[in-house]
Amino acid sequence: MAKRRIAILGSTGSIGTQTLDVIRQHPDLFEVVLISARNNVSLLVEQAREFDADNVVICNEEKFPELQKALEDTDCKVWEGVESLCRLVQADNVDIVVGAMVGFSGLKPTMSALEAGKIVALANKETLVAAGSIVTETMRRHNALILPVDSEHSAIFQCLLAAQGNEIEKIHLTASGGPFRTWNKERMAAATAAQALKHPNWNMGAKVTIDSATMMNKGFEVIEAKWLFDVEPARINVVIQPESIIHSMVEFTDGAVIAQLGYPDMREPIGFALSFPSRVTVGNRKLNLAELGSITFSEPDLEKFPCLRLAYEAIERGGNAPCALNAANEIAVAKFLRNEIGYFDIARINEKCLKNLDFIANPSLEDIYETNREIASIANDCLD
Ligand code: MG
């Protein structure tokens, strides 16, 4: 495998630091050419020095002087703002762009990377939720490629390598059920952000961890799977599997089901996206089935997890509805993290925003930005 030059958008977050951990294990295979963060200057500086990154971008422009000063004795070129990021990901020295920014903010630089025909290892599912048809159309038009980093979608992608062109009958998207799987509705209604942040299996950033507690994350993954694999949502079946060992499955017309397994460790899907179609070691623990003993399955409870139902409704409706759901949810999750609203208020705000949506069946990219702005402001004013 020729050495691959990697740009990491969101290098100080959970996916970003784990990506760097995979790269650290294979200096002969990967080279870091660009890293970016929104706010975390100290970690960004540390990473820039360790990996000798050519370009370092801070998206929050107020933090630029601090970054500049901290790296003035190095060869790293420093930049500020998302516009710089959008330009730098298109450079010839970038082979793979790792999209690990949080939420809607990932859309713009991801679009830039796709317009330049890059390989995008995408962890930022909100980009596909908000603008799936535009993003995938841009990918095709510019001969770019999106490789999934989300563990479920990496699993589906790996299972599909066995498809040999055969049609998918069904996708079985596995879900851990999050920290509240065994709680009743009354207890969930009083759940705090601190309780929701204790995910049983996965160590992730705050936004996706709260989304896991509401199963909004799984709903977004249904939408993400529709766009990545061109499968109608009615063929995507969410199944609870608390052990998070089977990362997802694909069923074919003859009833054969192909699954991908492993202990939960994001370095595995990250490594596969970086090295595809090769595989590299990533330092994870190898599966011991006898020790594991059993894997259990059940149906998700839509009464306890209304966000999952809302995701199916939004993608069935299409147009700018999923974008609206994402915009509402970003605001609602931020409010929940600040302890301003309760657990079920997240779904309530999301549902209210979907109802108040100015529906556009075939939104342009500008319509998507406008929907995001408008719904974010409606969600902000929802004082349930
Ligand atoms: Mg996932």
Side-chain angles (χ1 to χ4, degrees):
M1 193 174 105
K3 200 166 188 172
R4 294 179 176 177
R5 297 163 297 177
I6 316 287
I8 307 172
L9 315 184
S11 65
T12 59
S14 175
I15 295 292
T17 52
Q18 293 182 84
T19 300
L20 287 171
D21 187 55
V22 172
I23 293 174
R24 189 181 284 120
Q25 298 174 52
H26 300 283
D28 50 327
L29 298 179
F30 308 116
E31 181 188 342
V32 178
V33 290
L34 164 69
I35 53 176
S36 81
R38 187 169 51 185
N39 282 316
N40 193 342
V41 173
S42 57
L43 183 54
L44 189 64
V45 166
E46 202 180 292
Q47 293 174 340
R49 287 181 182 275
E50 180 186 349
F51 292 92
D52 193 23
D54 299 342
N55 291 294
V56 183
V57 185
I58 189 84
C59 291
N60 179 352
E61 299 178 7
E62 282 174 22
K63 305 252 177 171
F64 181 67
E66 190 186 338
L67 177 72
Q68 198 172 31
K69 190 159 191 307
L71 289 174
E72 66 188 359
D73 63 325
T74 69
D75 292 332
C76 304
K77 289 190 260 322
V78 290
W79 310 87
E80 60 185 320
V82 175
E83 296 305 325
S84 303
L85 197 53
C86 290
R87 184 172 48 78
L88 290 163
V89 295
Q90 297 191 322
D92 287 340
N93 73 342
V94 174
D95 296 318
I96 300 179
V97 177
V98 177
M101 292 167 83
V102 177
F104 188 83
S105 66
L107 176 59
K108 212 168 187 182
T110 302
M111 286 293 290
S112 294
L114 294 173
E115 281 161 8
K118 300 294 181 188
I119 297 172
V120 176
L122 191 66
N124 172 234
K125 69 194 68 163
E126 291 90 340
T127 286
L128 283 171
V129 172
S133 75
I134 297 169
V135 169
T136 49
E137 199 270 319
T138 304
M139 173 188 81
R140 280 189 288 271
R141 184 154 33 94
H142 294 277
N143 226 349
L145 179 65
I146 298 176
L147 293 173
V149 169
D150 208 347
S151 61
E152 293 79 359
H153 303 76
S154 175
I156 295 162
F157 179 62
Q158 293 178 59
C159 295
L160 284 175
L161 297 175
Q164 300 283 330
N166 283 290
E167 207 183 302
I168 298 173
E169 178 70 20
K170 233 177 203 172
I171 285 175
H172 299 280
L173 194 63
T174 53
S176 70
F180 302 147
R181 180 179 55 86
T182 58
W183 292 30
N184 62 27
K185 271 187 88 174
E186 292 66 39
R187 200 173 160 210
M188 287 166 92
T192 63
Q195 290 168 320
L197 285 169
K198 284 192 192 118
H199 196 278
N201 304 339
W202 294 96
N203 181 8
M204 307 175 289
K207 164 72 168 46
V208 63
T209 305
I210 300 301
D211 285 345
S212 295
T214 61
M215 289 193 74
M216 186 76 266
N217 182 56
K218 207 49 57 180
F220 285 166
E221 288 181 354
V222 170
I223 300 174
E224 185 185 8
K226 177 210 154 57
W227 293 117
L228 284 174
F229 308 114
D230 194 20
V231 175
E232 286 315 305
R235 289 177 185 264
I236 304 173
N237 171 47
V238 172
V239 63
I240 304 279
Q241 178 231 185
E243 297 84 2
S244 297
I245 296 296
I246 298 181
H247 298 318
S248 275
M249 299 169 260
V250 175
E251 182 178 328
F252 295 99
T253 45
D254 59 356
V257 178
I258 311 275
Q260 189 261 329
L261 287 72
Y263 290 117
D265 187 329
M266 285 308 296
R267 292 176 302 176
E268 187 209 294
I270 291 167
F272 190 62
L274 294 183
S275 63
F276 175 79
S278 304
R279 290 179 185 270
V280 294
T281 57
V282 294
N284 56 349
R285 182 174 161 224
K286 301 301 189 294
L287 192 59
N288 183 331
L289 289 167
E291 187 190 282
L292 181 70
S294 63
I295 305 174
T296 51
F297 303 96
S298 61
E299 283 219 34
D301 180 343
L302 295 183
E303 286 286 306
K304 280 162 60 173
F305 303 104
C307 287
L308 182 56
R309 169 179 57 82
L310 292 177
Y312 275 100
E313 286 174 14
I315 191 64
E316 289 294 353
R317 204 168 159 203
N320 60 344
C323 172
L325 179 59
N326 178 66
N329 185 64
E330 280 195 28
I331 299 294
V333 168
K335 281 176 184 266
F336 180 71
L337 281 169
R338 295 193 299 264
N339 298 308
E340 292 170 15
I341 60 169
Y343 174 89
F344 285 111
D345 293 330
I346 298 176
R348 218 167 286 147
I349 290 175
N350 290 347
E351 185 146 34
K352 203 169 184 179
C353 287
L354 274 179
K355 280 207 180 97
N356 286 322
L357 169 68
D358 227 332
F359 183 71
I360 305 171
N362 289 301
S364 66
L365 193 57
E366 199 32 64
D367 293 331
I368 291 294
Y369 284 113
E370 183 54 33
T371 300
N372 185 64
R373 266 192 299 271
E374 219 165 83
I375 294 293
S377 120
I378 294 174
N380 248 320
D381 294 338
C382 276
L383 291 172
D384 284 36

